[in-house]
């Protein structure tokens, strides 16, 4: 019998089923043991071990290699004392959804099928949660970096009309304003869009670490006087360095008065809307943004990757990206039907079924439980801040307002201390520089973290600082 049409499926489904079940059990064991599995360095010969070149192996053998040679060397953000950068910890229910999504293997670029309805449901839910007007819609993205490109592209179409066809060659110079310490994804978006990172204007902070409105007004007026066109203001909801939120209502007033697009970078900070007060009020005013970028893979804990871009004007959003050559023309009936094709709202044509892991998380866990975990993280960051203040060898750099805590050390270098704690498996901090001072930095977006973890991590930091004397 010819192998045609049967070459790539398992030869023996019963054997495959048994091996797959075993692999699934190993994955569940790993998730259950997350507390005991911190980051560990990869072996020196890892590159050799994973080099491709042994094709045609039995899938069972390959599963064994995955489990032994790859799975142990993850980023470590599933561990409760991982506080570095802004890494979500992952949700077991969403891992199950990922398996289903891969099984369905849907392409969410377009066409009329059930997965599209799930993404629509997720976007509708997110729009409602954000408080954006009924005219809003959006799209799931790989993360906030991609969402920022989509949002600023829509801002550009609103301001300059059909740049899609004519490009940027004839456009005047333009600027995007963001507070000092705002995320580099904005500069990157402008580089990709062809304006260059010089199009970013950094605005000074006020005494609460937020974008200073007077400085913003001065910069915009200064640029306008020089014939430079202000395109957008980026308000940050949860700054990557400090966790501080810009005054979004005041920024919305300013943008309305000056006919500027207000984009909100709420990569992780968006999710404080689910927290108890006072944190639940941090993002007040976000509903007045023209666009919002956020991530499900950060504070919501959905496994990587998944972000979202919401745009208040759905028609503008569609006009910015829709393109239907003859091979993508929609039809009245059949699979080529359906009025919602997500390829009309973003950069990608082929898109995976990210929505299912989000939908499953929200439906299975509920926003109350997720909000409680987010509230816990804010309390834990406050506790970390208190411990830093009480310590004789640490100093809090600025008050903790959300889930982020940065502190200096009075002996040794933060990067050295962070590396030692990462290597010991005790905790993962990252580092940054605030007001010229090198700091240890913790962004707590981890639903597994407890107050005990904070005490353990801070005791380990103090010990290492004292050992550095
Ligand atoms: C405030 C902020 N904006 C943007 C980003 C970039 O998001 P992503 O990594 O999903 O592209 C981050 C990442 O940490 C962030 O903290």
């Amino acid at each position: 019998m010819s192998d045609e049409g049967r070459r790539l499926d398992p030869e023996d489904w019963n054997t495959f089923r048994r091996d797959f079940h075993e692999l699934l059990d190993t994955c569940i064991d790993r998730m259950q043991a997350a507390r005991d599995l911190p980051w560990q360095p990869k072996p020196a010969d890892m590159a050799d071990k994973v080099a491709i070149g042994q094709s045609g192996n039995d899938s069972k053998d390959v599963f064994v290699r995955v489990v032994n040679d790859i799975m142990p060397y993850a980023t470590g953000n599933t561990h409760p004392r991982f506080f570095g950068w802004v890494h979500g910890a992952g949700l077991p229910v969403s891992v199950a959804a990922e398996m289903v999504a891969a099984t369905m293997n849907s392409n969410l670029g377009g066409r009329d099928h059930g997965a599209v309805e799930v993404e629509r449901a997720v976007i509708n839910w997110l729009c409602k949660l954000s408080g954006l007007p009924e005219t809003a819609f959006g799209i799931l993205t790989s993360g906030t970096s991609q969402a920022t490109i989509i949002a600023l592209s829509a801002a550009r179409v609103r301001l300059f009309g059909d740049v899609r066809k004519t490009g940027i060659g004839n456009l005047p110079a333009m600027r995007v304003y963001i507070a000092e310490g705002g995320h580099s994804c904005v500069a990157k978006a402008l580089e990709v869009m062809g304006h260059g990172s010089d199009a970013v204007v950094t605005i000074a902070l006020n005494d609460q670490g937020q974008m200073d409105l007077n400085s913003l007004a001065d910069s915009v007026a200064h640029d306008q006087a020089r014939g430079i066109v202000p395109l957008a203001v980026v308000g940050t909801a949860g700054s990557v360095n400090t966790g501080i939120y810009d005054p979004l209502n005041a920024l919305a007033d300013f943008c309305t008065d000056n006919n500027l697009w207000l984009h909100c970078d709420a990569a992780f900070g968006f999710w404080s809307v689910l927290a108890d007060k006072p944190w639940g009020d941090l993002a007040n005013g976000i509903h007045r943004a023209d666009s919002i970028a956020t991530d499900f893979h950060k504070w919501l804990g959905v496994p990587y990757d998944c972000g979202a871009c919401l745009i208040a004007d759905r028609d503008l959003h569609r006009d910015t990206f829709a393109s239907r050559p003859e091979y993508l023309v929609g039809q009245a009936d059949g699979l080529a039907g359906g009025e919602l094709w997500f390829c009309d709202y973003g950069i990608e044509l082929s898109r995976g079924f990210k929505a299912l892991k989000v939908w499953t998380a929200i439906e299975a866990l509920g926003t109350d439980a997720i909000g409680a975990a987010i509230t816990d993280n804010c309390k834990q960051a406050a506790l970390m801040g208190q411990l830093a203040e009480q310590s004789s060898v640490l100093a809090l750099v600025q008050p903790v307002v959300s889930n982020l805590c940065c502190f200096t050390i009075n002996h040794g270098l933060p990067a050295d201390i962070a590396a030692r704690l990462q290597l010991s498996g005790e905790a993962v901090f990252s580092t940054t520089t605030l007001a010229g001072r090198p700091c240890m930095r913790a962004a707590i977006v981890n639903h597994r973290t407890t107050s005990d973890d904070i005490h353990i991590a801070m005791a380990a930091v103090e010990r290492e600082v004292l050992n550095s004397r």
Side-chain angles (χ1 to χ4, degrees):
M1 204 195 341
S2 160
D3 279 342
E4 187 185 13
R6 297 187 301 122
R7 291 185 206 282
L8 303 182
D9 276 332
E11 252 170 60
D12 172 358
W13 279 99
N14 285 333
T15 307
F16 179 74
R17 182 183 303 274
R18 191 200 56 214
D19 297 343
F20 193 170
H21 274 284
E22 218 172 276
L23 182 65
L24 181 61
D25 274 336
T26 308
C27 289
I28 296 171
D29 287 346
R30 185 180 164 89
M31 289 188 277
Q32 191 174 0
R35 174 158 283 284
D36 304 319
L37 296 169
W39 174 80
Q40 58 175 321
K42 61 187 189 309
D45 62 350
M46 175 114 190
D48 293 337
K49 279 197 165 153
V50 299
I52 303 248
Q54 302 169 36
S55 55
N57 284 316
D58 192 68
S59 58
K60 163 83 177 175
D61 293 343
V62 175
F63 289 169
V64 169
R65 286 174 60 204
V66 168
V67 167
N68 293 335
D69 297 341
I70 299 175
M71 200 152 78
Y73 308 110
T75 324
N77 41 322
T78 50
H79 186 265
R81 287 194 296 282
F82 187 106
F83 310 130
W85 304 277
V86 192
H87 281 32
L91 299 170
V93 286
S94 294
V95 174
E98 282 281 70
M99 191 184 70
V100 177
T103 304
M104 291 171 70
N105 197 24
S106 297
N107 184 337
L108 278 275
R111 293 154 286 267
D112 198 10
H113 52 98
V116 173
E117 289 310 321
V118 179
E119 183 157 347
R120 188 205 303 267
V122 168
I123 294 294
N124 283 342
W125 172 82
L126 191 61
C127 283
K128 206 161 177 201
L129 187 63
S130 69
L132 286 175
E134 295 268 299
T135 50
F137 196 59
I139 186 168
L140 296 183
T141 62
S142 57
T144 287
S145 299
Q146 189 192 114
T148 306
I149 297 172
I150 293 174
L152 294 180
S153 298
R156 189 172 62 180
V157 167
R158 184 178 78 168
L159 189 62
F160 295 118
D162 193 13
V163 295
R164 291 184 65 184
K165 187 161 183 300
T166 51
I168 60 168
N170 294 326
L171 297 187
M174 45 130 274
R175 294 287 184 266
V176 171
Y177 306 83
I178 185 167
E180 213 174 275
H183 200 273
S184 59
C185 70
V186 172
K188 218 181 226 187
L190 290 163
E191 289 166 18
V192 171
M193 290 165 66
H195 301 285
S197 53
D198 280 353
V200 176
V201 180
T202 304
I203 305 296
L205 303 177
N206 65 19
D207 57 5
Q208 287 163 52
Q210 306 169 306
M211 190 190 293
D212 182 70
L213 285 162
N214 292 328
S215 305
L216 172 65
D218 288 349
S219 287
V220 168
H222 175 69
D223 286 338
Q224 279 168 331
R226 296 188 299 155
I228 291 177
V229 179
L231 173 70
V233 175
V234 177
T236 302
S239 152
V240 65
N241 260 341
T242 60
I244 286 172
Y245 289 59
D246 283 331
L248 299 177
N249 267 314
L251 290 184
D253 290 341
F254 179 82
C255 287
T256 307
D257 292 346
N258 292 276
N259 194 26
L260 292 179
W261 183 278
L262 176 59
H263 173 67
C264 188
D265 177 349
F268 64 90
F270 179 83
W271 300 103
S272 60
V273 300
L274 295 176
D276 291 348
K277 284 177 192 296
W279 304 286
D281 288 334
L282 284 168
N284 278 357
I286 199 165
H287 65 287
R288 297 176 60 198
D290 293 294
S291 55
I292 299 172
T294 189
D295 283 324
F296 289 98
H297 56 220
K298 292 194 167 80
W299 219 348
L300 214 75
V302 167
Y304 284 89
D305 51 23
C306 191
C309 178
L310 301 183
I311 295 193
D313 181 343
R314 180 191 182 135
D315 294 340
L316 172 70
H317 187 178
R318 197 175 182 287
D319 288 347
T320 306
F321 293 103
S323 163
R324 294 288 194 94
E326 64 283 2
Y327 43 84
L328 291 176
V329 167
Q331 304 295 340
D333 296 312
L335 182 55
E339 97 294 357
L340 174 58
W341 286 39
F342 276 101
C343 62
D344 291 335
Y345 294 86
I347 299 161
E348 297 158 326
L349 176 55
S350 292
R351 309 176 59 249
F353 193 7
K354 297 182 202 298
L356 190 62
K357 58 190 171 187
V358 178
W359 185 89
T360 306
I362 294 159
E363 287 292 280
L365 302 172
T367 47
D368 285 354
I370 297 171
I374 289 171
T375 302
D376 287 346
N377 288 160
C378 292
K379 290 180 179 167
Q380 290 154 4
L383 170 64
M384 188 179 276
Q386 280 161 22
L387 295 175
E389 275 182 315
Q390 287 160 13
S391 168
S392 56
V393 293
L394 312 176
L396 191 61
V397 178
Q398 58 183 45
V400 174
V401 299
S402 57
N403 61 330
L404 233 137
C405 179
C406 291
F407 53 88
T408 54
I409 56 180
N410 72 352
H411 300 289
L413 296 170
D416 290 347
I417 306 281
R420 270 186 255 153
L421 294 179
Q422 289 160 13
L423 288 163
S424 72
E426 285 167 289
V428 172
F429 287 82
S430 55
T431 58
T432 192
T433 302
L434 280 178
R437 287 176 292 178
C439 304
M440 306 283 292
R441 173 183 169 285
I444 311 177
V445 287
N446 192 318
H447 59 91
R448 298 195 177 102
T449 303
T450 64
S451 303
D452 282 349
D453 286 313
I454 304 296
H455 283 285
I456 291 168
M458 292 300 274
V461 172
E462 285 196 288
R463 184 200 66 221
E464 289 301 326
V465 174
L466 288 168
N467 285 345
S468 306
R469 282 199 294 198

